[in-house]
């Protein structure tokens, strides 16, 4: 009979048989990744797919094999973060007797139950899983994405092609059952929601987006477990209960990765070594209680982890800012007309993408500036907007901090992916700038006039401010979201520490002192992010 398990709310420390952060032991199957982080659940609606080393050979292992498949909440990383990311799949082995069972973690960051099937790791699973093995299945975070390559419908049956249930059943549960292995379904952990209720998207109950119906992903997993007599560990309910019972946001942050030395850079999706150990402990204790065979693999006397295992990454270096000097520091990639300069910086997809004009480009011609992030046919997207980090193409001027001004432009949309929540373009005034620099820890303060969270359709944001790694957004006042061919008036006016933004018919006002990085200058200009191809005209800075 199917078992739905809510493990005790506890905590812990562990290390799986996949590659982990270099500060800990690395074991047989390695799969490291770097890049995506997500401060705000709403800004992670299109977490980029990260490159990882494929696992094609699991080698000889001792005891029963425990295969793990899933997304970044289970996978291995190799981060430069202050508190690096760890998936809970990397910690399960810590609770198991290595002579009796071996964890083989095939999970990969950014994958859904659908997109994972295109990876070599999935081929490795199919090739190796056999009678007596276990298969722990943890998908959901990326099945929600409004992207054809990853999305699965939470509402369909297990027989209905394209549904979440069908993907989980056909590709994983049935695969294990046919091989006489034991499948175990895990609902996705919640996304941390500072100051908010644990409902809606943070607990994986999504709304409809054009062409991508929303629904209750954890419920689909629970139902599939009942329909197929498969054990379900309800990590959504476990983590929701845990976070709601804790005293405050500081208490919930202790489970999560942190990009920089600033507490505000907490990654609300991904776990740190302590958080991953806590979830692994939940999984192991729940399975031990439900499955007498699995119980024999568990070490004697395991206890919940404590916070002492959470230590700062010894290799983390506090970033140093160097003020932009036009005479010495102008971009080697793009030539522009002074006092305007161009750059790409932040979490922009990697050095190789930063330098590829198919991904990023700026062109001055006939008084207009054409910029794009992502390939102009929309095939590939690069860069991001998030609370914890961003990756942008920026065409800018350097200005004294004590000068007031108005920056204006018209933006004509040549291409835009309107189903991606991290796509944006417009005007920005920010505290710092970096020249042709890939660095996913940049999360300084700024004000922007432009659209964001376009996948929310008419509920998108038309301007926002980022302060202390938190996005403060102003929703549009009823104008349709931008589309190809639209020409939109943009402006940002600075008066002291007050910034007034305009995006089409929408205006907003933000008060912020842009001095946390550089107390003397600010940078004002045009930007594009992720999958936007824009022609700017009537540009003026007065």
């Amino acid at each position: 009979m199917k078992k739905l398990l809510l493990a005790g709310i506890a905590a812990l420390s562990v290390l799986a048989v996949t590659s982990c952060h270099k500060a800990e032991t690395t074991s047989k199957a390695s799969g490291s990744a770097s890049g995506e982080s997500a401060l705000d659940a709403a800004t992670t609606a299109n977490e980029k797919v990260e490159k990882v080393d494929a696992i094609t050979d699991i080698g000889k292992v001792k005891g029963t094999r425990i295969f793990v498949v899933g997304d970044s909440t289970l996978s291995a990383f190799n981060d430069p973060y202050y508190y690096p990311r760890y998936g809970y799949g990397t910690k399960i082995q810590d609770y198991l007797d290595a002579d009796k069972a071996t964890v083989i973690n095939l999970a990969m960051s950014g994958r859904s139950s659908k997109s994972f099937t295109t990876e070599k790791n999935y081929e490795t699973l199919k090739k190796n899983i056999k009678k007596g093995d276990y298969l722990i299945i943890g998908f959901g975070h990326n099945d929600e994405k409004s992207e054809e390559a990853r999305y699965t419908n939470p509402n369909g049956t297990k027989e209905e092609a394209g549904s979440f249930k069908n993907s989980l059943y056909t590709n994983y549960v049935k695969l294990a059952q046919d091989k006489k292995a034991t499948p175990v379904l895990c609902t996705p952990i919640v996304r941390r929601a500072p100051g908010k209720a644990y409902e809606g998207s943070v607990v994986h109950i999504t709304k409809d987006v054009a062409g991508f119906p929303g629904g209750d992903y954890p419920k689909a997993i629970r139902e599939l477990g009942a329909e197929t007599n498969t054990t379900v560990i309800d990590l959504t309910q476990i983590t929701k209960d845990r976070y709601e019972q804790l005293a405050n946001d500081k208490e919930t942050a202790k489970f999560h990765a942190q990009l920089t030395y600033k507490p505000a850079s907490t990654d609300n999706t991904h776990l740190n070594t302590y958080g991953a150990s806590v979830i692994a402990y939940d999984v192991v204790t729940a399975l031990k209680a439900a499955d007498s065979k699995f119980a024999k693999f568990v070490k004697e006397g395991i206890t919940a982890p404590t916070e002492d295992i959470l230590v700062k990454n010894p290799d983390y270096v506090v970033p140093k800012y160097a003020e932009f000097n036009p005479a010495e520091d102008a971009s080697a990639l793009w030539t522009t007309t002074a006092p305007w300069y161009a750059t790409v910086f932040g979490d922009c997809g990697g050095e190789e993408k930063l330098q590829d004009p198919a991904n990023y480009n700026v062109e001055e011609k006939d008084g207009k500036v054409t910029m794009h992030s992502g390939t102009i046919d929309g095939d590939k997207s690069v860069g991001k907007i998030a609370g914890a980090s961003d990756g942008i193409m920026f065409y800018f001027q350097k200005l004294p901090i004590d000068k007031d001004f108005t920056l204006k432009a018209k933006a004509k949309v040549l291409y835009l992916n309107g189903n991606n929540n991290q796509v944006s373009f417009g005007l920005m005034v920010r505290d710092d700038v970096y020249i042709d620099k890939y660095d996913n820890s940049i999360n300084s303060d700024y004000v922007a006039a432009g659209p964001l969270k376009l996948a929310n359709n008419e509920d998108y944001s038309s301007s926002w401010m980022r302060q202390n790694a938190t996005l403060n957004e102003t929703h549009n006042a009823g104008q349709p979201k931008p589309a190809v061919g639209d020409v939109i008036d943009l402006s940002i006016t600075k008066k002291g520490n007050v910034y007034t933004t305009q995006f089409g018919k929408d205006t907003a006002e933000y008060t912020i002192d842009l001095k946390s990085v550089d107390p003397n200058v600010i940078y004002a200009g045009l930007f594009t992010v992720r999958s936007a191809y824009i022609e700017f005209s009537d540009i003026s800075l007065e």
Side-chain angles (χ1 to χ4, degrees), residues 55-56 58 65-70 104 106 116-117 119-130 133-137 139 171-173 175-176 179 181:
I55 299 170
T56 57
I58 65 173
R65 287 134 19 126
I66 315 293
F67 287 94
V68 173
V69 295
I104 301 165
L106 300 176
F116 185 82
T117 63
E119 302 289 348
K120 290 181 180 178
N121 283 19
Y122 183 65
E123 295 302 316
T124 299
L125 173 68
K126 291 196 298 181
K127 177 182 175 182
N128 288 280
I129 193 168
K130 65 181 183 181
D133 292 340
Y134 281 76
L135 176 59
I136 295 174
I137 307 158
F139 289 104
N171 299 319
Y172 307 98
V173 174
L175 170 66
K179 297 282 188 176

Side-chain angles (χ1 to χ4, degrees), residues 153-341:
N153 191 328
N155 306 299
T157 67
K158 74 177 192 298
E159 289 80 23
E160 186 177 341
S163 75
F164 186 40
K165 280 186 183 179
N166 177 261
S167 181
L168 290 174
Y169 175 65
T170 303
N171 299 319
Y172 307 98
V173 174
K174 187 175 185 299
L175 170 66
Q177 291 175 339
D178 287 349
K179 297 282 188 176
K180 309 298 182 187
T182 302
V184 177
L185 287 163
C186 296
T187 64
I189 62 172
V190 299
R191 295 184 176 104
R192 179 172 171 265
K196 302 175 187 176
Y198 280 86
E199 58 189 22
S201 62
V202 297
V203 294
H204 309 286
I205 301 173
T206 61
K207 295 180 179 179
D208 293 350
V209 173
F212 302 94
D216 190 329
Y217 284 84
K219 179 182 177 183
I221 295 173
R222 292 191 293 267
E223 290 177 349
L224 180 62
E227 294 162 10
T228 60
N229 196 32
T230 301
T231 295
V232 176
I233 302 176
D234 197 345
L235 293 177
T236 309
Q237 191 65 50
I238 291 168
T239 50
K240 178 178 183 291
D241 289 346
R242 176 178 287 130
Y243 285 14
E244 287 179 338
Q245 290 172 21
L246 289 170
N248 52 47
D249 291 340
K250 185 177 180 181
E251 291 296 303
T252 59
K254 67 188 179 185
F255 300 107
H256 285 263
Q258 183 176 311
L259 277 77
T260 75
Y261 65 98
K262 299 178 182 179
S265 68
T266 299
D267 178 331
N268 291 335
T269 295
H270 300 103
L271 303 165
N272 58 34
T273 185
Y274 170 60
S277 296
V278 170
I279 302 301
Y281 182 79
D282 292 336
V283 171
V284 169
T285 54
L287 272 178
K288 178 183 177 182
D291 187 320
S292 58
K293 178 186 172 184
F294 187 88
K296 296 176 183 178
F297 309 147
V298 180
K299 291 178 180 177
E300 291 291 333
I302 62 168
T303 58
T306 62
E307 294 175 46
D308 328 357
I309 66 171
L310 182 59
V311 294
K312 164 180 121 45
N313 177 4
D315 296 325
Y316 177 80
V317 177
V318 176
K320 292 183 179 179
Y321 169 77
E323 182 181 334
F324 172 69
N325 183 335
E328 301 173 1
D329 302 329
S331 172
L333 301 175
W334 298 282
T335 301
T336 55
T337 305
W340 292 98
Y341 299 90

Side-chain angles (χ1 to χ4, degrees), residues 462 477-480 488-489 501-507:
S462 56
Q479 59 183 336
I488 303 158
D489 290 324
T501 64
Q502 176 195 3
F503 177 80
K505 298 176 182 178
D506 294 344
T507 60

Side-chain angles (χ1 to χ4, degrees), residues 35-41 43-45 47 81 85 191 256 259 265-270 384 386-389 422:
E36 180 70 28
S37 62
L39 180 70
D40 187 324
T43 68
T44 64
E47 176 188 11
Y81 292 2
R85 293 171 293 179
R191 295 184 176 104
H256 285 263
L259 277 77
S265 68
T266 299
D267 178 331
N268 291 335
T269 295
H270 300 103
K384 62 182 287 189
S389 65
Q422 293 181 347

